[in-house]
Amino acid sequence: MREFKLTEDYIELVKLLKLLRIAQTGGHAKIIVEEGEVIRNGEPEYRKRAKLVKGDVIEVAGETIKVI
């Protein structure tokens, strides 16, 4: 499990995917989300700009990321 430390109140889902290099571009990140490849706290997340906060757990591309 990877951990991502927030420096602000939240981070948008597509930004997280780009920062962690799960998506190569913003467009690629949006496609990943639109196709239902992201699981947030056990539920599919289809909102590209979903605000992730501390405690959220994201599963995508065979990786698990905990927002801390």
Side-chain angles (χ1 to χ4, degrees), residues 28 31-39 44-46 59-62:
H28 182 222
I31 290 169
I32 291 171
V33 177
E34 287 171 355
E35 292 183 351
E37 296 180 31
V38 178
I39 305 297
E45 180 60 76
Y46 297 100
E59 297 173 53
V60 60

Side-chain angles (χ1 to χ4, degrees), residues 6-31:
L6 277 179
T7 56
E8 298 182 15
D9 293 336
Y10 66 89
I11 185 167
E12 291 179 353
L13 179 55
V14 290
K15 287 185 181 180
L16 178 74
L17 297 178
K18 288 191 306 187
L19 279 174
L20 296 180
R21 300 187 190 272
I22 293 168
Q24 292 128 10
T25 64
H28 182 222
K30 289 176 182 179
I31 290 169

